[in-house]
Amino acid sequence: QVQLVESGGGLVQAGGSLRLSCATSGRTFSSYAMGWFRPAPGKEREFVAAISRSGGYTYYSDSVKGRFTISRDNAKNTVYLQMNSLKPEDTAVYYCAATTSRYSGNYYRNSEYDYWGQGTQVTVSS
């Protein structure tokens, strides 16, 4: 069993920045690719970003590409989401998730992930 705990959410003005963290415990962190998701209208959870087990490959949705950066520190068992140039439409609960899948082509699918955190609220005011 893997536990994921997100932190770093809060209230920020449009154009501002936040850094989310997701600390994990349980099995070896480096065994998992990690993703960030958020709810979206008509979808259970919308893909935001993902990172490979080593951290060498990163993936982003078009809506956040160029503004958000995903990274990980395998020594600290933590994945991060640096969010810059935030917009009101980025307001959401952000969830981190872990997957043992080795097929990066599926990292945008929330069904691909085995474990989920409880989420952290991000609110961007206009």
Side-chain angles (χ1 to χ4, degrees), residues 8-73:
L11 173 64
V12 64
Q13 288 188 330
S17 299
L18 282 174
R19 188 175 83 153
L20 306 183
S21 299
C22 175
T24 70
S25 62
R27 291 178 58 187
T28 305
F29 178 64
S30 59
S31 299
Y32 296 93
M34 301 296 295
W36 286 95
F37 289 79
R38 64 189 183 189
K43 302 179 182 179
E44 182 178 351
R45 285 174 185 172
E46 173 188 56
F47 171 73
V48 175
I51 189 166
S52 63
R53 292 182 303 279
S54 67
Y57 297 93
T58 56
Y59 312 87
Y60 299 94
S61 68
D62 288 343
S63 63
V64 308
K65 194 175 297 181
R67 299 188 299 122
F68 291 11
T69 302
I70 188 171
S71 62
R72 67 190 294 161
D73 185 336

Side-chain angles (χ1 to χ4, degrees), residues 101-123:
S101 172
R102 294 172 181 252
Y103 181 47
S104 61
N106 283 343
Y107 285 170
Y108 71 97
R109 297 178 185 271
N110 57 36
S111 60
E112 196 73 1
Y113 292 78
D114 306 294
Y115 302 101
W116 292 84
Q118 82 291 347
T120 185
Q121 176 70 46
V122 171
T123 303

